[in-house]
Amino acid sequence: MSEQVVDIKSPCVSVCVLNEEDICEGCYRSAQEITDWSVLSVEDKQVVMGNVKQRFKQLNKHLLL
Protein backbone atom coordinates (compact mmCIF):
# COMPACT_ATOMS: atom_id res chain seq x y z
CA MET A 1 0.00 0.00 0.00
CA SER A 2 1.49 3.38 -0.99
CA GLU A 3 1.06 6.50 1.08
CA GLN A 4 -0.50 9.42 -0.78
CA VAL A 5 1.30 12.74 -0.45
CA VAL A 6 -1.05 15.71 -0.46
CA ASP A 7 0.26 19.05 -1.64
CA ILE A 8 -0.22 22.13 0.53
CA LYS A 9 -2.49 24.83 -0.86
CA SER A 10 -1.04 28.31 -1.25
CA PRO A 11 -2.08 30.68 1.56
CA CYS A 12 -2.62 33.47 -0.98
CA VAL A 13 -5.78 35.52 -0.33
CA SER A 14 -5.32 37.86 -3.33
CA VAL A 15 -4.27 40.80 -1.13
CA CYS A 16 -0.80 41.22 -2.58
CA VAL A 17 0.88 44.10 -0.76
CA LEU A 18 4.47 43.82 0.46
CA ASN A 19 5.46 45.72 3.60
CA GLU A 20 8.86 47.30 4.28
CA GLU A 21 10.33 43.87 5.13
CA ASP A 22 9.04 42.31 1.86
CA ILE A 23 6.35 40.36 3.71
CA CYS A 24 2.95 40.11 2.04
CA GLU A 25 0.23 41.69 4.18
CA GLY A 26 -2.30 39.21 2.81
CA CYS A 27 -0.61 35.82 3.22
CA TYR A 28 2.42 36.69 5.40
CA ARG A 29 4.91 35.03 3.08
CA SER A 30 8.15 36.72 2.09
CA ALA A 31 8.58 37.82 -1.51
CA GLN A 32 11.06 34.95 -1.95
CA GLU A 33 8.65 32.39 -0.46
CA ILE A 34 5.91 33.59 -2.83
CA THR A 35 8.26 33.33 -5.81
CA ASP A 36 9.48 29.84 -4.83
CA TRP A 37 6.11 28.36 -3.75
CA SER A 38 5.38 26.41 -6.94
CA VAL A 39 8.71 24.57 -6.82
CA LEU A 40 8.93 23.89 -3.07
CA SER A 41 8.60 20.38 -1.69
CA VAL A 42 5.73 19.57 0.67
CA GLU A 43 8.21 19.65 3.55
CA ASP A 44 9.48 23.10 2.54
CA LYS A 45 5.91 24.35 2.19
CA GLN A 46 5.25 23.16 5.74
CA VAL A 47 8.22 25.24 6.91
CA VAL A 48 6.87 28.27 5.05
CA MET A 49 3.44 27.76 6.64
CA GLY A 50 5.12 27.71 10.06
CA ASN A 51 6.83 30.99 9.17
CA VAL A 52 3.48 32.40 8.05
CA LYS A 53 1.88 31.50 11.39
CA GLN A 54 4.69 33.16 13.35
CA ARG A 55 4.62 36.30 11.18
CA PHE A 56 0.85 36.56 11.52
CA LYS A 57 1.15 36.47 15.30
CA GLN A 58 4.02 38.95 15.33
CA LEU A 59 2.49 41.43 12.88
CA ASN A 60 -0.99 41.24 14.44
CA LYS A 61 -0.12 41.01 18.13
CA HIS A 62 -2.05 44.25 18.71
CA LEU A 63 -5.20 42.43 17.49
CA LEU A 64 -4.73 39.15 19.35
CA LEU A 65 -6.08 38.82 22.86
Side-chain angles (χ1 to χ4, degrees):
M1 200 185 309
S2 64
E3 187 175 315
Q4 183 178 1
V5 177
V6 178
D7 198 17
I8 298 175
K9 187 174 183 274
S10 167
C12 180
V13 294
S14 298
V15 179
C16 306
V17 178
L18 296 177
N19 67 16
E20 305 81 37
E21 290 86 32
D22 275 344
I23 301 299
C24 178
E25 293 184 2
C27 69
Y28 300 97
R29 290 180 292 170
S30 70
Q32 191 63 56
E33 290 167 340
I34 292 167
T35 301
D36 294 344
W37 185 262
S38 65
V39 297
L40 292 176
S41 67
V42 171
E43 292 80 15
D44 289 337
K45 287 179 181 179
Q46 289 172 328
V47 170
V48 169
M49 293 305 288
N51 294 341
V52 163
K53 185 176 181 179
Q54 289 302 102
R55 289 183 192 125
F56 176 85
K57 286 180 181 179
Q58 181 63 33
L59 295 172
N60 292 292
K61 59 186 170 190
H62 61 288
L63 299 175
L64 301 175
L65 301 175

